[in-house]
Amino acid sequence: MGDFNLKPIQRAALSLIKSDLRYLYTVIKNIDPNQSNYIPSLLPYMGVIVDGVEDWIKAVNNSSKEKLEVPLFNESERIYYEKMRDSIKLWQKEYDDIYELLQDAYNVSDEYFGNICKPIAKKMRLYDIFGVDIANGVICGNTILCYYYNPLFSYNKDNGPYVREMATIGGKYIAILGATEEYKINNYIKFDVCDYGGFVKSPVGNQFSDKFVLFSILCQINFVLYCVEHWIIEEIPAKMRFAYLIYYSLLHIVPQINSRINTNIGINEKWKSQEFRNAMAHYKLGVALKENEIIHEDIMYGLAQKYFELDYLTVKSRIIQELENVAVQIGQYLKLNDKMIKLMS
Protein backbone atom coordinates (compact mmCIF):
# COMPACT_ATOMS: atom_id res chain seq x y z
CA MET A 1 0.00 0.00 0.00
CA GLY A 2 3.01 2.24 0.06
CA ASP A 3 3.56 5.08 2.53
CA PHE A 4 -0.02 6.25 2.74
CA ASN A 5 -0.41 8.76 5.56
CA LEU A 6 -2.95 7.10 7.87
CA LYS A 7 -4.07 8.57 11.17
CA PRO A 8 -3.23 6.57 14.34
CA ILE A 9 -6.81 5.29 14.67
CA GLN A 10 -6.79 4.22 11.02
CA ARG A 11 -3.47 2.43 11.48
CA ALA A 12 -4.94 0.54 14.42
CA ALA A 13 -7.92 -0.47 12.29
CA LEU A 14 -5.59 -1.55 9.48
CA SER A 15 -3.71 -3.76 11.95
CA LEU A 16 -6.98 -5.49 12.89
CA ILE A 17 -7.80 -5.91 9.20
CA LYS A 18 -4.43 -7.50 8.46
CA SER A 19 -4.86 -9.89 11.36
CA ASP A 20 -8.28 -11.03 10.14
CA LEU A 21 -7.01 -11.41 6.58
CA ARG A 22 -4.10 -13.48 7.90
CA TYR A 23 -6.68 -15.76 9.49
CA LEU A 24 -8.42 -16.17 6.11
CA TYR A 25 -5.03 -16.84 4.51
CA THR A 26 -4.36 -19.52 7.15
CA VAL A 27 -7.69 -21.15 6.31
CA ILE A 28 -6.92 -21.11 2.59
CA LYS A 29 -3.50 -22.68 3.14
CA ASN A 30 -4.58 -25.38 5.57
CA ILE A 31 -8.19 -26.37 4.91
CA ASP A 32 -8.96 -28.93 2.20
CA PRO A 33 -12.49 -28.12 0.92
CA ASN A 34 -12.85 -31.73 -0.17
CA GLN A 35 -12.43 -32.98 3.38
CA SER A 36 -14.80 -30.71 5.30
CA ASN A 37 -17.30 -27.87 5.05
CA TYR A 38 -15.12 -25.58 7.18
CA ILE A 39 -15.11 -22.82 4.56
CA PRO A 40 -18.92 -22.81 3.98
CA SER A 41 -19.38 -22.67 7.77
CA LEU A 42 -17.00 -19.71 7.85
CA LEU A 43 -18.92 -17.70 5.25
CA PRO A 44 -20.82 -15.37 7.62
CA TYR A 45 -17.55 -14.35 9.26
CA MET A 46 -15.79 -14.14 5.91
CA GLY A 47 -18.53 -11.75 4.83
CA VAL A 48 -17.94 -9.64 7.94
CA ILE A 49 -14.22 -9.49 7.17
CA VAL A 50 -14.16 -8.91 3.41
CA ASP A 51 -17.19 -6.61 3.30
CA GLY A 52 -15.77 -4.78 6.32
CA VAL A 53 -12.42 -4.27 4.60
CA GLU A 54 -14.06 -2.84 1.49
CA ASP A 55 -16.23 -0.56 3.62
CA TRP A 56 -13.17 0.65 5.56
CA ILE A 57 -11.28 1.41 2.36
CA LYS A 58 -14.17 3.50 1.08
CA ALA A 59 -14.40 5.36 4.40
CA VAL A 60 -10.68 6.18 4.37
CA ASN A 61 -10.79 7.34 0.75
CA ASN A 62 -13.85 9.50 1.40
CA SER A 63 -12.06 11.27 4.25
CA SER A 64 -8.75 11.95 2.50
CA LYS A 65 -7.54 13.67 -0.65
CA GLU A 66 -4.94 10.92 -1.01
CA LYS A 67 -6.63 7.66 -2.01
CA LEU A 68 -5.77 4.09 -1.14
CA GLU A 69 -5.03 2.24 -4.36
CA VAL A 70 -7.03 -0.83 -3.40
CA PRO A 71 -9.86 -2.30 -5.52
CA LEU A 72 -13.50 -1.96 -4.48
CA PHE A 73 -16.43 -4.29 -5.14
CA ASN A 74 -18.07 -4.51 -8.50
CA GLU A 75 -21.86 -4.84 -8.41
CA SER A 76 -21.87 -8.66 -8.31
CA GLU A 77 -19.35 -8.71 -5.48
CA ARG A 78 -21.30 -6.08 -3.56
CA ILE A 79 -24.50 -8.17 -3.71
CA TYR A 80 -22.66 -11.39 -2.87
CA TYR A 81 -20.82 -10.05 0.18
CA GLU A 82 -23.79 -8.13 1.50
CA LYS A 83 -25.85 -11.33 1.46
CA MET A 84 -23.01 -13.28 3.02
CA ARG A 85 -22.48 -10.66 5.72
CA ASP A 86 -26.22 -10.50 6.50
CA SER A 87 -26.22 -14.24 7.21
CA ILE A 88 -24.33 -13.49 10.46
CA LYS A 89 -27.63 -12.01 11.70
CA LEU A 90 -29.55 -15.29 11.40
CA TRP A 91 -29.79 -15.76 15.16
CA GLN A 92 -30.89 -12.16 15.65
CA LYS A 93 -34.13 -12.86 13.79
CA GLU A 94 -37.33 -13.92 15.51
CA TYR A 95 -37.49 -17.62 16.35
CA ASP A 96 -40.40 -18.37 13.99
CA ASP A 97 -38.48 -16.76 11.11
CA ILE A 98 -35.34 -18.75 11.94
CA TYR A 99 -37.40 -21.95 12.09
CA GLU A 100 -38.94 -21.26 8.69
CA LEU A 101 -35.64 -20.33 7.02
CA LEU A 102 -33.87 -23.46 8.25
CA GLN A 103 -36.87 -25.64 7.47
CA ASP A 104 -36.93 -24.32 3.90
CA ALA A 105 -33.21 -25.06 3.54
CA TYR A 106 -33.73 -28.52 5.05
CA ASN A 107 -36.58 -29.29 2.65
CA VAL A 108 -34.52 -28.20 -0.36
CA SER A 109 -31.75 -30.59 0.69
CA ASP A 110 -34.21 -33.39 1.40
CA GLU A 111 -35.90 -32.98 -1.98
CA TYR A 112 -32.64 -32.79 -3.92
CA PHE A 113 -31.02 -35.89 -2.42
CA GLY A 114 -34.33 -37.76 -2.52
CA ASN A 115 -34.65 -37.07 -6.25
CA ILE A 116 -31.16 -38.27 -7.18
CA CYS A 117 -31.40 -41.65 -5.47
CA LYS A 118 -33.18 -44.75 -6.71
CA PRO A 119 -37.02 -44.66 -6.50
CA ILE A 120 -37.15 -47.44 -3.92
CA ALA A 121 -34.61 -45.62 -1.74
CA LYS A 122 -36.62 -42.40 -2.06
CA LYS A 123 -39.86 -44.15 -1.13
CA MET A 124 -38.25 -45.69 1.96
CA ARG A 125 -36.27 -42.49 2.70
CA LEU A 126 -32.99 -44.41 2.60
CA TYR A 127 -30.86 -41.45 1.53
CA ASP A 128 -28.68 -38.86 3.23
CA ILE A 129 -30.45 -35.59 3.97
CA PHE A 130 -27.64 -33.46 5.37
CA GLY A 131 -24.02 -33.59 6.45
CA VAL A 132 -22.37 -32.57 9.70
CA ASP A 133 -18.85 -31.26 10.16
CA ILE A 134 -16.86 -32.73 13.01
CA ALA A 135 -13.69 -31.57 14.78
CA ASN A 136 -12.24 -34.49 16.75
CA GLY A 137 -15.73 -35.78 17.39
CA VAL A 138 -17.31 -32.40 18.16
CA ILE A 139 -20.14 -31.26 15.88
CA CYS A 140 -19.22 -27.86 14.45
CA GLY A 141 -21.34 -27.29 11.34
CA ASN A 142 -24.02 -28.71 9.10
CA THR A 143 -24.85 -28.45 5.41
CA ILE A 144 -28.28 -26.93 6.04
CA LEU A 145 -26.62 -23.94 7.69
CA CYS A 146 -24.03 -23.87 4.89
CA TYR A 147 -26.81 -23.69 2.32
CA TYR A 148 -28.35 -20.72 4.12
CA TYR A 149 -24.97 -19.00 4.43
CA ASN A 150 -23.96 -19.39 0.79
CA PRO A 151 -25.44 -16.60 -1.37
CA LEU A 152 -27.07 -17.78 -4.59
CA PHE A 153 -26.03 -21.43 -4.04
CA SER A 154 -27.91 -24.09 -5.98
CA TYR A 155 -27.68 -27.88 -5.75
CA ASN A 156 -28.46 -28.11 -9.46
CA LYS A 157 -25.38 -26.36 -10.83
CA ASP A 158 -21.61 -26.19 -10.52
CA ASN A 159 -21.15 -23.37 -8.02
CA GLY A 160 -17.36 -23.56 -8.03
CA PRO A 161 -16.51 -21.07 -10.80
CA TYR A 162 -18.83 -18.38 -9.41
CA VAL A 163 -17.60 -18.81 -5.84
CA ARG A 164 -13.97 -18.63 -6.99
CA GLU A 165 -14.76 -15.48 -8.95
CA MET A 166 -16.36 -13.88 -5.90
CA ALA A 167 -13.43 -14.94 -3.70
CA THR A 168 -10.90 -13.16 -5.92
CA ILE A 169 -11.43 -9.77 -4.28
CA GLY A 170 -10.65 -11.26 -0.86
CA GLY A 171 -7.44 -12.73 -2.24
CA LYS A 172 -6.50 -9.31 -3.59
CA TYR A 173 -7.00 -7.74 -0.17
CA ILE A 174 -4.82 -10.43 1.43
CA ALA A 175 -2.02 -9.76 -1.08
CA ILE A 176 -2.22 -5.95 -1.27
CA LEU A 177 -2.50 -5.46 2.49
CA GLY A 178 0.39 -7.80 3.23
CA ALA A 179 -1.48 -10.56 5.06
CA THR A 180 0.29 -13.55 3.50
CA GLU A 181 1.66 -15.07 6.69
CA GLU A 182 0.03 -18.09 8.27
CA TYR A 183 -0.90 -18.32 11.91
CA LYS A 184 0.20 -21.41 13.81
CA ILE A 185 -2.52 -24.05 13.93
CA ASN A 186 -3.31 -26.94 16.23
CA ASN A 187 -2.62 -30.02 14.11
CA TYR A 188 -4.22 -32.19 16.78
CA ILE A 189 -7.64 -31.02 15.59
CA LYS A 190 -8.79 -33.02 12.58
CA PHE A 191 -11.83 -32.06 10.52
CA ASP A 192 -14.17 -34.68 9.11
CA VAL A 193 -17.77 -35.07 7.94
CA CYS A 194 -20.65 -37.42 8.66
CA ASP A 195 -23.82 -37.73 6.57
CA TYR A 196 -27.20 -38.33 8.19
CA GLY A 197 -30.48 -39.68 6.88
CA GLY A 198 -31.71 -43.08 5.81
CA PHE A 199 -29.64 -45.78 7.52
CA VAL A 200 -27.68 -43.29 9.65
CA LYS A 201 -30.17 -41.50 11.85
CA SER A 202 -29.37 -37.93 12.81
CA PRO A 203 -28.76 -37.25 16.53
CA VAL A 204 -31.89 -35.08 16.38
CA GLY A 205 -33.95 -37.32 14.10
CA ASN A 206 -34.46 -37.36 10.34
CA GLN A 207 -37.38 -34.94 10.41
CA PHE A 208 -37.00 -31.18 10.78
CA SER A 209 -38.03 -29.92 14.21
CA ASP A 210 -37.16 -27.47 16.98
CA LYS A 211 -34.39 -29.87 17.89
CA PHE A 212 -32.72 -29.25 14.55
CA VAL A 213 -32.77 -25.50 15.22
CA LEU A 214 -31.00 -26.05 18.55
CA PHE A 215 -28.64 -28.50 16.86
CA SER A 216 -27.73 -25.78 14.35
CA ILE A 217 -27.09 -23.25 17.12
CA LEU A 218 -24.80 -25.79 18.77
CA CYS A 219 -22.98 -26.23 15.45
CA GLN A 220 -22.55 -22.46 15.18
CA ILE A 221 -21.19 -22.14 18.72
CA ASN A 222 -18.80 -25.05 18.34
CA PHE A 223 -17.46 -23.68 15.06
CA VAL A 224 -16.23 -20.64 16.97
CA LEU A 225 -14.99 -22.65 19.96
CA TYR A 226 -13.08 -25.35 18.12
CA CYS A 227 -12.56 -24.32 14.51
CA VAL A 228 -11.28 -20.87 15.49
CA GLU A 229 -10.50 -20.61 19.22
CA HIS A 230 -8.78 -24.01 19.57
CA TRP A 231 -7.57 -24.44 15.99
CA ILE A 232 -5.57 -21.19 15.81
CA ILE A 233 -2.85 -21.40 18.46
CA GLU A 234 -1.95 -17.71 18.58
CA GLU A 235 -4.22 -15.14 20.17
CA ILE A 236 -5.86 -13.17 17.37
CA PRO A 237 -8.65 -10.56 17.26
CA ALA A 238 -10.89 -12.86 15.18
CA LYS A 239 -11.35 -15.07 18.25
CA MET A 240 -13.02 -12.26 20.17
CA ARG A 241 -14.79 -10.87 17.10
CA PHE A 242 -16.49 -14.13 16.15
CA ALA A 243 -17.21 -15.22 19.73
CA TYR A 244 -18.83 -11.94 20.65
CA LEU A 245 -21.02 -11.83 17.55
CA ILE A 246 -22.54 -15.24 18.31
CA TYR A 247 -22.79 -14.42 22.04
CA TYR A 248 -24.68 -11.21 21.27
CA SER A 249 -27.07 -13.10 18.99
CA LEU A 250 -27.68 -15.75 21.66
CA LEU A 251 -28.79 -13.04 24.08
CA HIS A 252 -31.61 -12.37 21.64
CA ILE A 253 -32.66 -15.88 20.71
CA VAL A 254 -32.16 -17.93 23.91
CA PRO A 255 -35.14 -16.36 25.75
CA GLN A 256 -37.34 -17.09 22.73
CA ILE A 257 -36.14 -20.71 22.67
CA ASN A 258 -36.95 -21.08 26.37
CA SER A 259 -40.44 -19.71 25.78
CA ARG A 260 -41.07 -21.70 22.59
CA ILE A 261 -40.02 -25.18 23.66
CA ASN A 262 -40.06 -24.84 27.45
CA THR A 263 -36.32 -25.10 27.98
CA ASN A 264 -34.37 -23.34 30.69
CA ILE A 265 -31.13 -22.44 28.92
CA GLY A 266 -29.21 -19.83 30.88
CA ILE A 267 -26.90 -17.12 29.53
CA ASN A 268 -25.35 -14.20 31.41
CA GLU A 269 -26.27 -10.80 29.95
CA LYS A 270 -23.49 -9.02 31.84
CA TRP A 271 -21.41 -8.64 28.69
CA LYS A 272 -24.15 -7.19 26.51
CA SER A 273 -23.11 -4.01 24.69
CA GLN A 274 -24.54 -2.77 21.40
CA GLU A 275 -21.53 -0.48 20.95
CA PHE A 276 -19.04 -3.30 21.49
CA ARG A 277 -21.01 -5.55 19.15
CA ASN A 278 -20.82 -2.87 16.44
CA ALA A 279 -17.07 -2.58 16.99
CA MET A 280 -16.75 -6.37 16.52
CA ALA A 281 -18.70 -6.20 13.25
CA HIS A 282 -16.85 -3.26 11.68
CA TYR A 283 -13.35 -1.80 11.38
CA LYS A 284 -14.28 1.83 11.98
CA LEU A 285 -12.40 2.18 15.25
CA GLY A 286 -12.85 5.94 15.13
CA VAL A 287 -16.53 5.46 15.96
CA ALA A 288 -15.64 3.48 19.11
CA LEU A 289 -12.37 5.00 20.30
CA LYS A 290 -10.81 8.42 20.54
CA GLU A 291 -7.11 8.60 19.71
CA ASN A 292 -6.21 9.13 23.36
CA GLU A 293 -8.08 5.94 24.24
CA ILE A 294 -5.99 3.70 21.99
CA ILE A 295 -3.91 1.13 23.89
CA HIS A 296 -1.26 0.18 21.36
CA GLU A 297 -0.01 -2.88 23.23
CA ASP A 298 -3.53 -4.34 23.43
CA ILE A 299 -4.60 -6.87 20.81
CA MET A 300 -7.79 -4.88 20.07
CA TYR A 301 -6.40 -1.47 20.96
CA GLY A 302 -8.46 -0.91 24.11
CA LEU A 303 -11.99 -1.81 23.00
CA ALA A 304 -12.58 -4.19 25.92
CA GLN A 305 -11.23 -1.62 28.35
CA LYS A 306 -13.45 1.07 26.87
CA TYR A 307 -16.72 -0.84 27.19
CA PHE A 308 -16.10 -3.27 30.06
CA GLU A 309 -13.22 -1.73 32.01
CA LEU A 310 -11.39 -5.05 31.80
CA ASP A 311 -8.52 -6.28 29.65
CA TYR A 312 -9.06 -8.16 26.40
CA LEU A 313 -8.17 -11.64 27.66
CA THR A 314 -10.46 -11.37 30.69
CA VAL A 315 -13.45 -10.31 28.59
CA LYS A 316 -12.76 -12.89 25.91
CA SER A 317 -12.44 -15.71 28.45
CA ARG A 318 -15.83 -14.75 29.92
CA ILE A 319 -17.46 -14.74 26.49
CA ILE A 320 -15.93 -18.12 25.65
CA GLN A 321 -17.18 -19.46 28.97
CA GLU A 322 -20.72 -18.28 28.19
CA LEU A 323 -20.60 -20.01 24.80
CA GLU A 324 -19.33 -23.21 26.38
CA ASN A 325 -22.09 -23.12 28.98
CA VAL A 326 -24.82 -22.64 26.37
CA ALA A 327 -23.31 -25.41 24.21
CA VAL A 328 -23.37 -27.86 27.12
CA GLN A 329 -26.97 -26.95 28.01
CA ILE A 330 -28.14 -27.42 24.42
CA GLY A 331 -26.23 -30.69 24.13
CA GLN A 332 -27.79 -32.00 27.32
CA TYR A 333 -31.28 -31.03 26.16
CA LEU A 334 -30.70 -32.84 22.86
CA LYS A 335 -29.26 -35.82 24.79
CA LEU A 336 -26.05 -35.78 22.77
CA ASN A 337 -23.08 -37.66 24.12
CA ASP A 338 -20.30 -35.65 25.75
CA LYS A 339 -17.89 -36.14 22.87
CA MET A 340 -20.28 -34.43 20.47
CA ILE A 341 -20.45 -31.40 22.74
CA LYS A 342 -16.93 -31.01 24.07
CA LEU A 343 -13.49 -31.50 22.55
CA MET A 344 -11.72 -34.41 24.21
CA SER A 345 -8.10 -33.87 25.33
Side-chain angles (χ1 to χ4, degrees):
M1 243 178 32
D3 298 324
F4 192 87
N5 187 27
L6 293 175
K7 299 175 182 177
I9 200 80
Q10 293 171 331
R11 290 193 178 279
L14 179 58
S15 175
L16 294 177
I17 286 171
K18 286 184 176 181
S19 176
D20 286 353
L21 290 175
R22 280 185 63 192
Y23 164 70
L24 293 185
Y25 183 74
T26 303
V27 171
I28 293 169
K29 297 293 288 185
N30 290 278
I31 295 296
D32 183 350
N34 295 316
Q35 297 298 317
S36 78
N37 290 309
Y38 184 109
I39 292 177
S41 294
L42 175 65
L43 289 180
Y45 304 107
M46 189 183 301
V48 168
I49 294 171
V50 178
D51 185 76
V53 173
E54 200 259 2
D55 192 43
W56 180 83
I57 293 167
K58 288 191 295 187
V60 171
N61 285 344
N62 288 337
S63 65
S64 176
K65 292 181 180 179
E66 188 179 358
K67 308 300 181 184
L68 293 170
E69 295 182 1
V70 183
L72 299 176
F73 290 159
N74 60 35
E75 184 62 13
S76 295
E77 291 165 342
R78 183 189 65 77
I79 294 172
Y80 184 82
Y81 281 98
E82 281 185 359
K83 287 181 177 292
M84 189 189 296
R85 183 193 185 104
D86 283 346
S87 68
I88 197 76
K89 300 176 183 177
L90 172 63
W91 309 112
Q92 294 180 38
K93 298 180 183 294
E94 298 306 299
Y95 184 86
D96 287 345
D97 294 332
I98 294 170
Y99 187 97
E100 184 176 347
L101 287 167
L102 292 182
Q103 184 179 42
D104 288 345
Y106 189 98
N107 289 340
V108 170
S109 180
D110 191 351
E111 181 179 4
Y112 173 77
F113 290 108
N115 286 338
I116 63 173
C117 68
K118 294 181 179 179
I120 185 64
K122 180 178 180 179
K123 183 177 181 179
M124 299 181 66
R125 294 183 63 82
L126 301 178
Y127 55 89
D128 295 329
I129 300 172
F130 67 94
V132 171
D133 276 280
I134 299 169
N136 287 32
V138 178
I139 55 173
C140 56
N142 69 65
T143 56
I144 306 305
L145 276 176
C146 291
Y147 177 87
Y148 174 79
Y149 292 153
N150 196 346
L152 310 178
F153 175 86
S154 172
Y155 285 110
N156 296 308
K157 68 178 182 181
D158 181 4
N159 300 275
Y162 180 74
V163 171
R164 286 191 291 272
E165 179 185 351
M166 291 299 101
T168 299
I169 187 74
K172 288 180 180 178
Y173 289 156
I174 289 171
I176 293 172
L177 299 178
T180 54
E181 181 181 358
E182 296 176 46
Y183 284 115
K184 295 178 182 178
I185 62 170
N186 186 347
N187 288 310
Y188 167 74
I189 297 179
K190 304 297 182 183
F191 300 109
D192 200 357
V193 295
C194 181
D195 292 327
Y196 289 113
F199 291 110
V200 184
K201 186 178 180 181
S202 158
V204 291
N206 288 350
Q207 297 290 335
F208 187 85
S209 67
D210 291 305
K211 287 185 176 181
F212 189 87
V213 177
L214 266 67
F215 183 77
S216 295
I217 292 174
L218 180 58
C219 288
Q220 183 78 68
I221 294 172
N222 281 346
F223 180 83
V224 171
L225 292 179
Y226 302 120
C227 302
V228 183
E229 171 70 16
H230 288 308
W231 185 59
I232 300 290
I233 294 175
E234 300 167 67
E235 192 58 50
I236 62 173
K239 291 185 176 184
M240 171 75 96
R241 187 183 302 280
F242 299 171
Y244 194 82
L245 289 174
I246 183 62
Y247 164 78
Y248 192 85
S249 295
L250 289 173
L251 292 176
H252 168 78
I253 197 60
V254 163
Q256 294 186 53
I257 293 170
N258 288 336
S259 175
R260 169 69 178 258
I261 59 177
N262 199 30
T263 50
N264 190 30
I265 299 170
I267 183 169
N268 191 340
E269 295 190 2
K270 177 179 179 179
W271 311 102
K272 183 177 182 179
S273 168
Q274 176 71 47
E275 293 81 5
F276 190 73
R277 181 266 170 201
N278 291 342
M280 295 300 97
H282 304 278
Y283 295 112
K284 297 174 183 177
L285 279 187
V287 176
L289 296 174
K290 298 177 182 178
E291 288 194 3
N292 63 0
E293 293 175 321
I294 298 175
I295 302 175
H296 290 283
E297 62 272 19
D298 181 69
I299 193 170
M300 297 199 81
Y301 294 96
L303 284 168
Q305 290 86 337
K306 170 70 177 288
Y307 293 106
F308 301 112
E309 298 182 350
L310 291 168
D311 65 275
Y312 163 86
L313 284 175
T314 298
V315 175
K316 197 206 79 170
S317 68
R318 299 295 189 274
I319 299 303
I320 293 296
Q321 185 177 45
E322 288 302 317
L323 296 184
E324 291 174 340
N325 288 341
V326 172
V328 168
Q329 291 175 82
I330 291 176
Q332 291 173 342
Y333 175 80
L334 296 176
K335 298 181 180 180
L336 302 179
N337 63 57
D338 290 342
K339 189 175 182 181
M340 281 183 144
I341 306 169
K342 188 175 182 182
L343 190 67
M344 307 300 287
S345 59

